[in-house]
Amino acid sequence: MLTRKDRQRFERLTLPHLAAAYNLALWLVRNPAEAEDIVQTTYLRAFEAFHRFSGNSAAAWIMTIIRNTAFTHLSKNKRSDNLVSFDDVLHQHAKPLKNSFELTPEETFTRHATKVQVEESMNRLSTEYREVLFLRDIEGYSYKEISDITQIPKGTVMSRLSRAREQLQHFMQAQQAKDKRREL
Amino acid sequence: MNCDELKTQLESYLDGELTLSDKRDVEEHLNDCTGCTQAFDALRFVQTQVRESDYKKVPASLKLNIQNQLRDVTGEQTRRAGWFTWLGVGGGGMAAGALATWAIMSFVLFSPLHNQFADSIIESHISALMVDHATDVKTSDSHTVKPWFNGRVDFSPPVKDLHAEGFELLGGRLDYLQGKTVSALVYKRRAHIINAFVFKSEDATSLTTPTLMQRHGYNLVYWSKDGLEFWLVSDLNKKEISQLAQLFIKT
């Protein structure tokens, strides 16, 4: 039976991470109402399982439940477009994207990517790619921590992150080129 | 370190995951190699873009909902915040679809008093359906339902004809809720019955802003207006029950 004291301790540990939790959910499902739902479910589940909390990192614990809840939600709603990881697909069947080593100077950024361009490009990434980008570049988790949160091997975290950036770069270039053509 | 070796390390270098000696090797190479430096800059640019993307503000209602949810688990008194302004369901919100609308309405506030009252509302709703006694006066004509209440209750519930909006009026009945006589208007949307309980508001400071509440699988919306308190209850989805609430308030 959970008591008032448990609740207070739980809130002290987890509520500081509410913004991170909400933003991760938002990055994954890209819908504010659904993200709110996921966060609420997460906090309730976490509280009910509070006695199992190891006491290590409350933030990472919350993040784990958020991402699991979000992925379950996405698969339940058959948002399969988000669920297919491009990790294998891209590198086995398709021509790999150019990485930054193969770019001609014209292809590199004009360094003026707008917020909209970035956001639109990010929206085109698969959920798994957005996930690692968020955990690494926004939240600053290490490869090892991301591996713990997502329950995928560290090597996969690294390659996913690398491909996510590669693809993002590619999408941003495409977006810029498109916008430029529209201007002309 | 040559360029090929650097490629395998560059990302880890960017992420600060290299050992000190590996880091030094990478930096030495970057100092001498324009090509790799360019590649690194491009990579760092992508990272900067991600880092600079906005951290969205957490809706104020979310934290409160969570706190109340936790108090529900421990059986403590729930917190009541200032009532949120209802932004309205119609207009632009509709185009964004059910979920966007849901967001506007999902100010789930639980106070023990309201929880208790909500339970009796739900009970009444269920029992009316079970004994097939949803209506005392069975008619879709709002002009028949309204006078029917005259003399039966000491207030005049607004009876709306919302047929055009997709809510069919089935009739009305009297009900008893926590010791008081209330009027119940019964509407139907597809296969869903909606009970609209209307009664005199005793609380002068009662809320005027509609609030959505979810309890035991039912959706409820409550608000007060002109000295009357309104409670809608149904297994209808949040979006449509909210829509009905808005029709009640508007017309």
Side-chain angles (χ1 to χ4, degrees), chain A residues 76-107:
Chain A
K76 238 190 235 158
N77 289 281
K78 303 208 169 57
R79 300 249 288 268
S80 52
D81 56 316
N82 284 302
L83 292 168
V84 179
S85 166
F86 293 110
D87 275 20
D88 309 316
V89 183
L90 266 179
H91 286 253
Q92 281 171 11
H93 307 293
K95 198 177 141 224
L97 297 170
K98 277 184 185 180
N99 66 30
S100 37
F101 290 92
E102 297 158 330
L103 295 173
T104 64
E106 293 77 44
E107 281 176 310

PDB file of all heavy atoms in Angstrom, chain A residues 76-107:
ATOM      1  N   LYS A  76       0.088   0.014 -31.126  1.00  0.00           N
ATOM      2  CA  LYS A  76      -1.338  -0.238 -30.949  1.00  0.00           C
ATOM      3  C   LYS A  76      -2.151   0.540 -31.972  1.00  0.00           C
ATOM      4  O   LYS A  76      -3.159   0.084 -32.476  1.00  0.00           O
ATOM      5  CB  LYS A  76      -1.761   0.197 -29.550  1.00  0.00           C
ATOM      6  CG  LYS A  76      -2.390  -0.935 -28.732  1.00  0.00           C
ATOM      7  CD  LYS A  76      -3.004  -0.370 -27.478  1.00  0.00           C
ATOM      8  CE  LYS A  76      -2.470  -1.061 -26.242  1.00  0.00           C
ATOM      9  NZ  LYS A  76      -2.622  -0.259 -25.038  1.00  0.00           N
ATOM     10  N   ASN A  77      -1.688   1.742 -32.248  1.00  0.00           N
ATOM     11  CA  ASN A  77      -2.396   2.581 -33.201  1.00  0.00           C
ATOM     12  C   ASN A  77      -1.905   2.373 -34.623  1.00  0.00           C
ATOM     13  O   ASN A  77      -2.166   3.169 -35.507  1.00  0.00           O
ATOM     14  CB  ASN A  77      -2.268   4.040 -32.798  1.00  0.00           C
ATOM     15  CG  ASN A  77      -3.084   4.329 -31.559  1.00  0.00           C
ATOM     16  OD1 ASN A  77      -4.286   4.496 -31.621  1.00  0.00           O
ATOM     17  ND2 ASN A  77      -2.423   4.328 -30.413  1.00  0.00           N
ATOM     18  N   LYS A  78      -1.132   1.314 -34.762  1.00  0.00           N
ATOM     19  CA  LYS A  78      -0.638   0.911 -36.082  1.00  0.00           C
ATOM     20  C   LYS A  78       0.056   2.048 -36.824  1.00  0.00           C
ATOM     21  O   LYS A  78      -0.108   2.229 -38.022  1.00  0.00           O
ATOM     22  CB  LYS A  78      -1.784   0.366 -36.942  1.00  0.00           C
ATOM     23  CG  LYS A  78      -2.501  -0.784 -36.285  1.00  0.00           C
ATOM     24  CD  LYS A  78      -3.101  -1.713 -37.326  1.00  0.00           C
ATOM     25  CE  LYS A  78      -3.599  -3.006 -36.722  1.00  0.00           C
ATOM     26  NZ  LYS A  78      -4.598  -2.786 -35.668  1.00  0.00           N
ATOM     27  N   ARG A  79       0.798   2.814 -36.072  1.00  0.00           N
ATOM     28  CA  ARG A  79       1.571   3.853 -36.753  1.00  0.00           C
ATOM     29  C   ARG A  79       2.877   3.217 -37.213  1.00  0.00           C
ATOM     30  O   ARG A  79       3.959   3.551 -36.766  1.00  0.00           O
ATOM     31  CB  ARG A  79       1.820   5.005 -35.791  1.00  0.00           C
ATOM     32  CG  ARG A  79       0.533   5.643 -35.293  1.00  0.00           C
ATOM     33  CD  ARG A  79       0.353   7.038 -35.855  1.00  0.00           C
ATOM     34  NE  ARG A  79       1.296   7.943 -35.236  1.00  0.00           N
ATOM     35  CZ  ARG A  79       1.019   8.648 -34.140  1.00  0.00           C
ATOM     36  NH1 ARG A  79      -0.142   8.540 -33.564  1.00  0.00           N
ATOM     37  NH2 ARG A  79       1.908   9.472 -33.637  1.00  0.00           N
ATOM     38  N   SER A  80       2.727   2.269 -38.127  1.00  0.00           N
ATOM     39  CA  SER A  80       3.869   1.453 -38.485  1.00  0.00           C
ATOM     40  C   SER A  80       4.929   2.248 -39.232  1.00  0.00           C
ATOM     41  O   SER A  80       6.085   1.871 -39.274  1.00  0.00           O
ATOM     42  CB  SER A  80       3.416   0.267 -39.319  1.00  0.00           C
ATOM     43  OG  SER A  80       2.632   0.741 -40.387  1.00  0.00           O
ATOM     44  N   ASP A  81       4.526   3.358 -39.805  1.00  0.00           N
ATOM     45  CA  ASP A  81       5.513   4.166 -40.510  1.00  0.00           C
ATOM     46  C   ASP A  81       6.628   4.578 -39.558  1.00  0.00           C
ATOM     47  O   ASP A  81       7.754   4.792 -39.930  1.00  0.00           O
ATOM     48  CB  ASP A  81       4.854   5.417 -41.118  1.00  0.00           C
ATOM     49  CG  ASP A  81       4.126   6.251 -40.076  1.00  0.00           C
ATOM     50  OD1 ASP A  81       3.417   5.649 -39.243  1.00  0.00           O
ATOM     51  OD2 ASP A  81       4.270   7.483 -40.091  1.00  0.00           O
ATOM     52  N   ASN A  82       6.228   4.680 -38.302  1.00  0.00           N
ATOM     53  CA  ASN A  82       7.191   5.105 -37.302  1.00  0.00           C
ATOM     54  C   ASN A  82       7.999   3.957 -36.742  1.00  0.00           C
ATOM     55  O   ASN A  82       8.984   4.155 -36.071  1.00  0.00           O
ATOM     56  CB  ASN A  82       6.455   5.760 -36.129  1.00  0.00           C
ATOM     57  CG  ASN A  82       6.014   7.140 -36.487  1.00  0.00           C
ATOM     58  OD1 ASN A  82       6.842   7.968 -36.839  1.00  0.00           O
ATOM     59  ND2 ASN A  82       4.724   7.373 -36.450  1.00  0.00           N
ATOM     60  N   LEU A  83       7.508   2.777 -36.986  1.00  0.00           N
ATOM     61  CA  LEU A  83       8.101   1.659 -36.278  1.00  0.00           C
ATOM     62  C   LEU A  83       9.176   0.935 -37.074  1.00  0.00           C
ATOM     63  O   LEU A  83      10.005   0.254 -36.531  1.00  0.00           O
ATOM     64  CB  LEU A  83       7.004   0.663 -35.876  1.00  0.00           C
ATOM     65  CG  LEU A  83       6.074   1.243 -34.822  1.00  0.00           C
ATOM     66  CD1 LEU A  83       4.852   0.370 -34.649  1.00  0.00           C
ATOM     67  CD2 LEU A  83       6.804   1.399 -33.506  1.00  0.00           C
ATOM     68  N   VAL A  84       9.123   1.106 -38.381  1.00  0.00           N
ATOM     69  CA  VAL A  84      10.139   0.463 -39.186  1.00  0.00           C
ATOM     70  C   VAL A  84      11.440   1.226 -39.025  1.00  0.00           C
ATOM     71  O   VAL A  84      11.525   2.401 -39.311  1.00  0.00           O
ATOM     72  CB  VAL A  84       9.736   0.462 -40.674  1.00  0.00           C
ATOM     73  CG1 VAL A  84      10.808  -0.194 -41.507  1.00  0.00           C
ATOM     74  CG2 VAL A  84       8.411  -0.234 -40.850  1.00  0.00           C
ATOM     75  N   SER A  85      12.384   0.555 -38.528  1.00  0.00           N
ATOM     76  CA  SER A  85      13.674   1.199 -38.382  1.00  0.00           C
ATOM     77  C   SER A  85      14.370   1.168 -39.729  1.00  0.00           C
ATOM     78  O   SER A  85      14.355   0.171 -40.434  1.00  0.00           O
ATOM     79  CB  SER A  85      14.507   0.461 -37.361  1.00  0.00           C
ATOM     80  OG  SER A  85      15.834   0.885 -37.471  1.00  0.00           O
ATOM     81  N   PHE A  86      14.997   2.261 -40.044  1.00  0.00           N
ATOM     82  CA  PHE A  86      15.714   2.302 -41.317  1.00  0.00           C
ATOM     83  C   PHE A  86      17.118   1.742 -41.188  1.00  0.00           C
ATOM     84  O   PHE A  86      17.838   1.639 -42.138  1.00  0.00           O
ATOM     85  CB  PHE A  86      15.785   3.737 -41.837  1.00  0.00           C
ATOM     86  CG  PHE A  86      14.443   4.279 -42.219  1.00  0.00           C
ATOM     87  CD1 PHE A  86      13.838   5.261 -41.467  1.00  0.00           C
ATOM     88  CD2 PHE A  86      13.784   3.783 -43.324  1.00  0.00           C
ATOM     89  CE1 PHE A  86      12.590   5.746 -41.818  1.00  0.00           C
ATOM     90  CE2 PHE A  86      12.534   4.273 -43.671  1.00  0.00           C
ATOM     91  CZ  PHE A  86      11.939   5.259 -42.924  1.00  0.00           C
ATOM     92  N   ASP A  87      17.453   1.409 -39.984  1.00  0.00           N
ATOM     93  CA  ASP A  87      18.814   0.926 -39.728  1.00  0.00           C
ATOM     94  C   ASP A  87      19.258  -0.096 -40.760  1.00  0.00           C
ATOM     95  O   ASP A  87      20.264   0.061 -41.419  1.00  0.00           O
ATOM     96  CB  ASP A  87      18.897   0.273 -38.347  1.00  0.00           C
ATOM     97  CG  ASP A  87      19.153   1.328 -37.283  1.00  0.00           C
ATOM     98  OD1 ASP A  87      18.883   2.514 -37.573  1.00  0.00           O
ATOM     99  OD2 ASP A  87      19.610   0.975 -36.194  1.00  0.00           O
ATOM    100  N   ASP A  88      18.472  -1.156 -40.859  1.00  0.00           N
ATOM    101  CA  ASP A  88      18.868  -2.241 -41.734  1.00  0.00           C
ATOM    102  C   ASP A  88      18.484  -1.960 -43.171  1.00  0.00           C
ATOM    103  O   ASP A  88      19.258  -2.145 -44.082  1.00  0.00           O
ATOM    104  CB  ASP A  88      18.196  -3.539 -41.277  1.00  0.00           C
ATOM    105  CG  ASP A  88      18.438  -3.749 -39.794  1.00  0.00           C
ATOM    106  OD1 ASP A  88      19.583  -3.544 -39.363  1.00  0.00           O
ATOM    107  OD2 ASP A  88      17.484  -4.089 -39.095  1.00  0.00           O
ATOM    108  N   VAL A  89      17.280  -1.496 -43.317  1.00  0.00           N
ATOM    109  CA  VAL A  89      16.737  -1.264 -44.653  1.00  0.00           C
ATOM    110  C   VAL A  89      17.683  -0.423 -45.498  1.00  0.00           C
ATOM    111  O   VAL A  89      18.083  -0.817 -46.591  1.00  0.00           O
ATOM    112  CB  VAL A  89      15.375  -0.549 -44.538  1.00  0.00           C
ATOM    113  CG1 VAL A  89      14.778  -0.362 -45.917  1.00  0.00           C
ATOM    114  CG2 VAL A  89      14.439  -1.338 -43.644  1.00  0.00           C
ATOM    115  N   LEU A  90      18.050   0.695 -44.954  1.00  0.00           N
ATOM    116  CA  LEU A  90      18.872   1.628 -45.704  1.00  0.00           C
ATOM    117  C   LEU A  90      20.193   1.035 -46.130  1.00  0.00           C
ATOM    118  O   LEU A  90      20.640   1.205 -47.243  1.00  0.00           O
ATOM    119  CB  LEU A  90      19.167   2.845 -44.843  1.00  0.00           C
ATOM    120  CG  LEU A  90      18.222   4.023 -44.999  1.00  0.00           C
ATOM    121  CD1 LEU A  90      18.651   5.123 -44.060  1.00  0.00           C
ATOM    122  CD2 LEU A  90      18.237   4.512 -46.434  1.00  0.00           C
ATOM    123  N   HIS A  91      20.770   0.310 -45.191  1.00  0.00           N
ATOM    124  CA  HIS A  91      22.137  -0.101 -45.451  1.00  0.00           C
ATOM    125  C   HIS A  91      22.246  -1.413 -46.182  1.00  0.00           C
ATOM    126  O   HIS A  91      23.317  -1.786 -46.639  1.00  0.00           O
ATOM    127  CB  HIS A  91      22.924  -0.099 -44.151  1.00  0.00           C
ATOM    128  CG  HIS A  91      23.217   1.308 -43.729  1.00  0.00           C
ATOM    129  ND1 HIS A  91      24.463   1.862 -43.825  1.00  0.00           N
ATOM    130  CD2 HIS A  91      22.406   2.281 -43.292  1.00  0.00           C
ATOM    131  CE1 HIS A  91      24.412   3.113 -43.432  1.00  0.00           C
ATOM    132  NE2 HIS A  91      23.176   3.397 -43.095  1.00  0.00           N
ATOM    133  N   GLN A  92      21.146  -2.120 -46.315  1.00  0.00           N
ATOM    134  CA  GLN A  92      21.216  -3.371 -47.041  1.00  0.00           C
ATOM    135  C   GLN A  92      20.671  -3.247 -48.451  1.00  0.00           C
ATOM    136  O   GLN A  92      21.216  -3.783 -49.387  1.00  0.00           O
ATOM    137  CB  GLN A  92      20.423  -4.454 -46.300  1.00  0.00           C
ATOM    138  CG  GLN A  92      21.211  -5.009 -45.130  1.00  0.00           C
ATOM    139  CD  GLN A  92      20.344  -5.900 -44.285  1.00  0.00           C
ATOM    140  OE1 GLN A  92      19.236  -6.253 -44.675  1.00  0.00           O
ATOM    141  NE2 GLN A  92      20.835  -6.253 -43.116  1.00  0.00           N
ATOM    142  N   HIS A  93      19.565  -2.523 -48.548  1.00  0.00           N
ATOM    143  CA  HIS A  93      18.864  -2.543 -49.834  1.00  0.00           C
ATOM    144  C   HIS A  93      18.974  -1.259 -50.629  1.00  0.00           C
ATOM    145  O   HIS A  93      18.701  -1.235 -51.800  1.00  0.00           O
ATOM    146  CB  HIS A  93      17.382  -2.853 -49.607  1.00  0.00           C
ATOM    147  CG  HIS A  93      17.176  -4.088 -48.814  1.00  0.00           C
ATOM    148  ND1 HIS A  93      17.502  -5.322 -49.306  1.00  0.00           N
ATOM    149  CD2 HIS A  93      16.715  -4.282 -47.566  1.00  0.00           C
ATOM    150  CE1 HIS A  93      17.228  -6.240 -48.383  1.00  0.00           C
ATOM    151  NE2 HIS A  93      16.758  -5.636 -47.319  1.00  0.00           N
ATOM    152  N   ALA A  94      19.321  -0.216 -49.971  1.00  0.00           N
ATOM    153  CA  ALA A  94      19.309   1.050 -50.690  1.00  0.00           C
ATOM    154  C   ALA A  94      20.706   1.651 -50.739  1.00  0.00           C
ATOM    155  O   ALA A  94      21.593   1.268 -49.995  1.00  0.00           O
ATOM    156  CB  ALA A  94      18.364   2.011 -50.012  1.00  0.00           C
ATOM    157  N   LYS A  95      20.843   2.545 -51.636  1.00  0.00           N
ATOM    158  CA  LYS A  95      22.099   3.254 -51.742  1.00  0.00           C
ATOM    159  C   LYS A  95      22.282   4.069 -50.459  1.00  0.00           C
ATOM    160  O   LYS A  95      21.402   4.825 -50.072  1.00  0.00           O
ATOM    161  CB  LYS A  95      22.015   4.193 -52.947  1.00  0.00           C
ATOM    162  CG  LYS A  95      23.345   4.672 -53.456  1.00  0.00           C
ATOM    163  CD  LYS A  95      23.120   5.534 -54.700  1.00  0.00           C
ATOM    164  CE  LYS A  95      24.059   6.698 -54.694  1.00  0.00           C
ATOM    165  NZ  LYS A  95      23.441   7.937 -55.045  1.00  0.00           N
ATOM    166  N   PRO A  96      23.400   3.906 -49.823  1.00  0.00           N
ATOM    167  CA  PRO A  96      23.559   4.663 -48.581  1.00  0.00           C
ATOM    168  C   PRO A  96      23.557   6.154 -48.845  1.00  0.00           C
ATOM    169  O   PRO A  96      23.932   6.602 -49.930  1.00  0.00           O
ATOM    170  CB  PRO A  96      24.923   4.217 -48.065  1.00  0.00           C
ATOM    171  CG  PRO A  96      25.460   3.235 -49.019  1.00  0.00           C
ATOM    172  CD  PRO A  96      24.560   3.123 -50.192  1.00  0.00           C
ATOM    173  N   LEU A  97      23.138   6.874 -47.862  1.00  0.00           N
ATOM    174  CA  LEU A  97      23.149   8.329 -48.012  1.00  0.00           C
ATOM    175  C   LEU A  97      24.589   8.804 -47.992  1.00  0.00           C
ATOM    176  O   LEU A  97      25.448   8.185 -47.388  1.00  0.00           O
ATOM    177  CB  LEU A  97      22.402   8.965 -46.838  1.00  0.00           C
ATOM    178  CG  LEU A  97      20.945   8.608 -46.731  1.00  0.00           C
ATOM    179  CD1 LEU A  97      20.415   9.110 -45.399  1.00  0.00           C
ATOM    180  CD2 LEU A  97      20.177   9.221 -47.875  1.00  0.00           C
ATOM    181  N   LYS A  98      24.779   9.910 -48.602  1.00  0.00           N
ATOM    182  CA  LYS A  98      26.115  10.483 -48.561  1.00  0.00           C
ATOM    183  C   LYS A  98      26.408  10.935 -47.130  1.00  0.00           C
ATOM    184  O   LYS A  98      25.558  11.523 -46.488  1.00  0.00           O
ATOM    185  CB  LYS A  98      26.152  11.723 -49.452  1.00  0.00           C
ATOM    186  CG  LYS A  98      26.361  11.404 -50.899  1.00  0.00           C
ATOM    187  CD  LYS A  98      26.483  12.699 -51.666  1.00  0.00           C
ATOM    188  CE  LYS A  98      26.578  12.425 -53.145  1.00  0.00           C
ATOM    189  NZ  LYS A  98      26.691  13.661 -53.902  1.00  0.00           N
ATOM    190  N   ASN A  99      27.572  10.647 -46.679  1.00  0.00           N
ATOM    191  CA  ASN A  99      27.900  11.234 -45.388  1.00  0.00           C
ATOM    192  C   ASN A  99      28.736  12.480 -45.618  1.00  0.00           C
ATOM    193  O   ASN A  99      29.051  12.842 -46.744  1.00  0.00           O
ATOM    194  CB  ASN A  99      28.577  10.224 -44.458  1.00  0.00           C
ATOM    195  CG  ASN A  99      29.924   9.810 -44.966  1.00  0.00           C
ATOM    196  OD1 ASN A  99      30.605  10.576 -45.642  1.00  0.00           O
ATOM    197  ND2 ASN A  99      30.309   8.591 -44.666  1.00  0.00           N
ATOM    198  N   SER A 100      29.084  13.108 -44.531  1.00  0.00           N
ATOM    199  CA  SER A 100      29.699  14.422 -44.688  1.00  0.00           C
ATOM    200  C   SER A 100      31.050  14.384 -45.398  1.00  0.00           C
ATOM    201  O   SER A 100      31.536  15.393 -45.876  1.00  0.00           O
ATOM    202  CB  SER A 100      29.833  15.083 -43.318  1.00  0.00           C
ATOM    203  OG  SER A 100      30.161  14.116 -42.367  1.00  0.00           O
ATOM    204  N   PHE A 101      31.627  13.177 -45.483  1.00  0.00           N
ATOM    205  CA  PHE A 101      32.923  13.107 -46.165  1.00  0.00           C
ATOM    206  C   PHE A 101      32.783  13.188 -47.673  1.00  0.00           C
ATOM    207  O   PHE A 101      33.711  13.518 -48.379  1.00  0.00           O
ATOM    208  CB  PHE A 101      33.632  11.799 -45.801  1.00  0.00           C
ATOM    209  CG  PHE A 101      34.098  11.776 -44.388  1.00  0.00           C
ATOM    210  CD1 PHE A 101      33.298  11.254 -43.393  1.00  0.00           C
ATOM    211  CD2 PHE A 101      35.323  12.330 -44.029  1.00  0.00           C
ATOM    212  CE1 PHE A 101      33.726  11.236 -42.084  1.00  0.00           C
ATOM    213  CE2 PHE A 101      35.747  12.323 -42.721  1.00  0.00           C
ATOM    214  CZ  PHE A 101      34.947  11.781 -41.739  1.00  0.00           C
ATOM    215  N   GLU A 102      31.614  12.810 -48.156  1.00  0.00           N
ATOM    216  CA  GLU A 102      31.451  12.723 -49.604  1.00  0.00           C
ATOM    217  C   GLU A 102      30.749  13.935 -50.217  1.00  0.00           C
ATOM    218  O   GLU A 102      30.422  13.949 -51.378  1.00  0.00           O
ATOM    219  CB  GLU A 102      30.653  11.456 -49.943  1.00  0.00           C
ATOM    220  CG  GLU A 102      31.380  10.193 -49.532  1.00  0.00           C
ATOM    221  CD  GLU A 102      30.451   9.020 -49.351  1.00  0.00           C
ATOM    222  OE1 GLU A 102      29.281   9.235 -48.979  1.00  0.00           O
ATOM    223  OE2 GLU A 102      30.897   7.892 -49.592  1.00  0.00           O
ATOM    224  N   LEU A 103      30.493  14.903 -49.392  1.00  0.00           N
ATOM    225  CA  LEU A 103      29.752  16.054 -49.889  1.00  0.00           C
ATOM    226  C   LEU A 103      30.662  17.006 -50.638  1.00  0.00           C
ATOM    227  O   LEU A 103      31.796  17.242 -50.241  1.00  0.00           O
ATOM    228  CB  LEU A 103      29.111  16.809 -48.726  1.00  0.00           C
ATOM    229  CG  LEU A 103      28.034  16.071 -47.954  1.00  0.00           C
ATOM    230  CD1 LEU A 103      27.636  16.896 -46.751  1.00  0.00           C
ATOM    231  CD2 LEU A 103      26.849  15.796 -48.844  1.00  0.00           C
ATOM    232  N   THR A 104      30.127  17.524 -51.717  1.00  0.00           N
ATOM    233  CA  THR A 104      30.863  18.580 -52.401  1.00  0.00           C
ATOM    234  C   THR A 104      30.603  19.865 -51.628  1.00  0.00           C
ATOM    235  O   THR A 104      29.625  19.949 -50.888  1.00  0.00           O
ATOM    236  CB  THR A 104      30.342  18.744 -53.834  1.00  0.00           C
ATOM    237  OG1 THR A 104      28.972  19.177 -53.748  1.00  0.00           O
ATOM    238  CG2 THR A 104      30.417  17.448 -54.611  1.00  0.00           C
ATOM    239  N   PRO A 105      31.453  20.861 -51.798  1.00  0.00           N
ATOM    240  CA  PRO A 105      31.246  22.109 -51.045  1.00  0.00           C
ATOM    241  C   PRO A 105      29.856  22.688 -51.257  1.00  0.00           C
ATOM    242  O   PRO A 105      29.254  23.232 -50.337  1.00  0.00           O
ATOM    243  CB  PRO A 105      32.324  23.036 -51.610  1.00  0.00           C
ATOM    244  CG  PRO A 105      33.379  22.131 -52.130  1.00  0.00           C
ATOM    245  CD  PRO A 105      32.689  20.886 -52.589  1.00  0.00           C
ATOM    246  N   GLU A 106      29.319  22.539 -52.499  1.00  0.00           N
ATOM    247  CA  GLU A 106      27.986  23.104 -52.770  1.00  0.00           C
ATOM    248  C   GLU A 106      26.919  22.404 -51.955  1.00  0.00           C
ATOM    249  O   GLU A 106      25.865  22.948 -51.670  1.00  0.00           O
ATOM    250  CB  GLU A 106      27.621  22.983 -54.259  1.00  0.00           C
ATOM    251  CG  GLU A 106      28.450  23.822 -55.195  1.00  0.00           C
ATOM    252  CD  GLU A 106      29.830  23.206 -55.431  1.00  0.00           C
ATOM    253  OE1 GLU A 106      29.910  21.986 -55.631  1.00  0.00           O
ATOM    254  OE2 GLU A 106      30.816  23.955 -55.387  1.00  0.00           O
ATOM    255  N   GLU A 107      27.222  21.153 -51.627  1.00  0.00           N
ATOM    256  CA  GLU A 107      26.210  20.380 -50.935  1.00  0.00           C
ATOM    257  C   GLU A 107      26.184  20.641 -49.433  1.00  0.00           C
ATOM    258  O   GLU A 107      25.232  20.310 -48.766  1.00  0.00           O
ATOM    259  CB  GLU A 107      26.424  18.880 -51.185  1.00  0.00           C
ATOM    260  CG  GLU A 107      25.911  18.440 -52.532  1.00  0.00           C
ATOM    261  CD  GLU A 107      26.217  16.978 -52.773  1.00  0.00           C
ATOM    262  OE1 GLU A 107      27.379  16.579 -52.592  1.00  0.00           O
ATOM    263  OE2 GLU A 107      25.298  16.235 -53.133  1.00  0.00           O
TER     264      GLU A 107
END
